[in-house]
Amino acid sequence: MSDYKEATLAVQAAIRQTSEQENSEAIFMTSSFAYGSAEEAAAKFGGDAGGNIYSRFTNPTVELFEKRLAALEKGEAAVATASGMAALQTLAYSLLQAGDKVVCSRNIFGSTVKFFNAYVAKFGVDIVYVDATDYDAWAIEIDSRTRLCYFETPSNPLYEVVDVARVTKLAHAKGALLCVDTVLATPALQNPLTQGADIVMQSATKFIDGQGRALGGALISNAEICEKFVGFMRSAGPAMSPFNAWVLLNGLETLALRMKAHSANAQALAEYLDAHPKVKKVNYGGLPTHKYHELAKQQQKGFGGVLSFELDGGREQAWRFINNVKLMSITGNLGDTKTLVTHPASTTHGRLTDEEKHKAGIVEGLVRVSVGIEDIEDILADVEQALAKL
Ligand SMILES: *Cc1c(COP(=O)(O)O)cnc(C)c1O
């Protein structure tokens, strides 16, 4: 199966058919699995016989999602979790212990910062933040105590692009692991594992589902590291629901097609905004003037569907724009077929302190758009009429 090309793997990898001979994958909505005898149950629980026991441990639908995602990310294995944050929790609690140090990008998802600071640091793990595109800072902070390095590329919402191979070298030189959050790129546009990273973290809630229906997350890595995640998952229980696994599995089948459509629409919107007199700055990797355009082109197969832009007049003008759009949904989610708009400083990044926001570049005039797959003419018309009201 691994000889097949990506478009084939997206719909065919790890297909598993029951005796009913269904062609679309079945959903195994069951908490536990029943056996023919006490002897069989004892053998399964004791680990002498393989097979399913309980859906917190394994579930056939969840396993199918894991195998197909691993094939697309080019990893040996994947572990699916209830959400992206459950994947982060699994990463941290499986790998870290008191005395360890984590070197983390400053420009990451708001809840990631909160989780590290409030729930990991209290167990005696030092969390140090760096500007992710300052490679000298990575080199200074990564030391022999560093167990984990962590960043997002491209970052949300400013579209910073971090050189995966470069940070990998710095991390590996000190024996640290590198985990990359590529929620914005998805496996359709970037495979950090092939660029040196040890682990990929995904929020499947976003583009993998792609239609804003279900929460899910995953960690993709080699078999040895995934074994550690499995151990934590079984005891701690942030498991993915079989129903969500089935929804997300179907999402994987059309992911590459959708990412092409999202990227084309985002490119057109970025170019429109870039030329608009009321827009101060556009953050999108597909613009040749963007600081990280060349690196994005080299590391990614496309620029994706998320962009942000800055308006003069701070929060007041940003909110006015948002309150005047008609087609877009005002929501903190991203990666939906529908176009979504949000004001990061008061929503997704609202829990950061003013200093954290300032350091992360989340200014009050910033608006984020997750560009959907509607007709681009309608998206542009919506933006045009909302900008006209400023
Ligand atoms: C949404 C998101 C997460 C968290 O995922 P959930 O599924 O919402 O828990 C992490 N990183 C990025 C970049 C995200 O956009």
Side-chain angles (χ1 to χ4, degrees):
M1 188 49 81
S2 58
D3 294 341
Y4 284 116
K5 304 268 191 289
E6 268 163 49
T8 310
L9 291 174
V11 292
Q12 299 278 0
I15 278 191
R16 163 173 195 158
Q17 201 178 38
T18 73
S19 56
E20 298 296 339
Q21 299 181 289
E22 72 284 356
N23 189 47
S24 173
E25 295 79 358
I27 314 177
F28 289 87
M29 284 302 290
T30 179
S31 316
S32 71
F33 299 83
Y35 312 113
S37 67
E39 287 78 3
E40 189 191 345
K44 293 237 156 96
F45 273 77
D48 299 331
N52 298 299
I53 297 173
Y54 189 59
S55 284
R56 169 152 48 78
F57 305 163
T58 56
N59 174 281
T61 315
V62 175
E63 221 174 275
L64 192 49
F65 171 69
E66 291 172 336
K67 288 205 166 120
R68 200 169 292 176
L69 180 59
L72 294 177
E73 285 285 9
K74 303 182 171 52
E76 287 174 8
V79 175
T81 55
S83 66
M85 295 322 292
L88 185 72
Q89 177 195 338
T90 302
L91 174 81
Y93 292 142
S94 305
L95 299 180
L96 302 172
Q97 60 183 41
D100 284 348
K101 179 174 168 184
V102 175
V103 183
C104 184
S105 160
R106 189 167 279 133
N107 295 22
I108 53 170
F109 193 62
S111 296
T112 302
V113 177
K114 280 288 160 196
F115 173 68
F116 277 140
N117 291 351
Y119 300 103
V120 179
K122 71 175 176 180
F123 293 109
V125 175
D126 285 336
I127 319 284
V128 175
Y129 294 93
V130 293
D131 174 352
T133 56
D134 180 350
Y135 301 96
D136 292 337
W138 284 105
I140 290 166
E141 290 295 350
I142 301 170
D143 59 21
S144 58
R145 273 204 307 135
T146 307
R147 175 81 175 123
L148 182 69
C149 299
Y150 190 92
F151 63 80
E152 255 174 69
T153 189
S155 74
N156 163 34
L158 296 177
Y159 212 109
E160 271 189 356
V161 182
V162 187
D163 189 328
V164 175
R166 211 162 155 187
V167 181
T168 299
K169 268 200 204 111
L170 296 170
H172 287 182
K174 294 285 161 77
L177 296 170
L178 172 64
C179 178
V180 179
D181 173 337
T182 44
V183 170
L184 261 57
T186 81
L189 301 185
Q190 188 173 358
N191 295 130
L193 296 179
T194 65
Q195 297 161 340
D198 302 286
I199 305 153
V200 166
M201 180 277 197
Q202 284 293 351
S203 164
T205 315
K206 311 296 169 56
F207 288 103
I208 290 178
D209 170 21
Q211 296 184 53
R213 301 163 297 190
L215 292 176
L219 295 167
I220 307 95
S221 185
N222 63 37
E224 191 190 331
I225 293 174
C226 281
E227 244 344 276
K228 295 188 183 182
F229 298 150
V230 167
F232 173 82
M233 290 289 297
R234 289 181 171 213
S235 305
M240 177 180 276
S241 135
F243 182 76
N244 284 13
W246 180 81
V247 171
L248 299 168
L249 179 68
N250 285 307
L252 284 180
E253 297 195 351
T254 58
L255 179 65
L257 289 176
R258 284 184 284 107
M259 290 313 287
K260 268 190 201 139
H262 283 294
S263 300
N265 277 357
Q267 182 72 34
L269 178 58
E271 286 170 10
Y272 171 85
L273 289 167
D274 199 37
H276 200 288
K278 287 184 182 166
V279 176
K280 233 164 106 179
K281 188 177 178 208
V282 182
N283 304 304
Y284 186 64
L287 292 176
T289 50
H290 184 62
K291 191 170 172 192
Y292 303 106
H293 176 68
E294 284 308 318
L295 181 58
K297 226 164 79 178
Q298 183 198 317
Q299 280 196 157
Q300 298 169 211
K301 281 190 271 181
F303 301 108
V306 178
L307 61 82
S308 63
F309 61 97
E310 220 179 300
L311 293 168
D312 270 325
R315 178 175 294 207
E316 193 200 323
Q317 290 298 305
W319 279 18
R320 181 168 298 172
F321 173 83
I322 290 168
N323 287 333
N324 276 299
V325 294
K326 297 192 169 96
L327 180 72
M328 301 184 198
S329 315
I330 305 170
T331 172
N333 197 20
L334 61 86
D336 195 312
T337 44
K338 298 180 173 70
T339 297
L340 318 174
V341 66
T342 198
H343 178 244
S346 58
T347 62
T348 54
H349 293 65
R351 288 193 291 162
L352 300 187
T353 63
D354 284 347
E355 198 201 332
E356 284 169 337
K357 270 186 226 171
H358 177 76
K359 279 192 176 163
I362 309 298
V363 296
E364 288 290 335
L366 193 71
V367 173
R368 184 190 76 191
V369 180
S370 172
V371 188
I373 61 171
E374 302 98 334
D375 193 302
I376 187 61
E377 306 255 331
D378 294 325
I379 296 171
L380 292 178
D382 194 29
V383 170
E384 186 170 4
Q385 63 81 27
L387 284 174
K389 296 198 173 104
L390 302 186

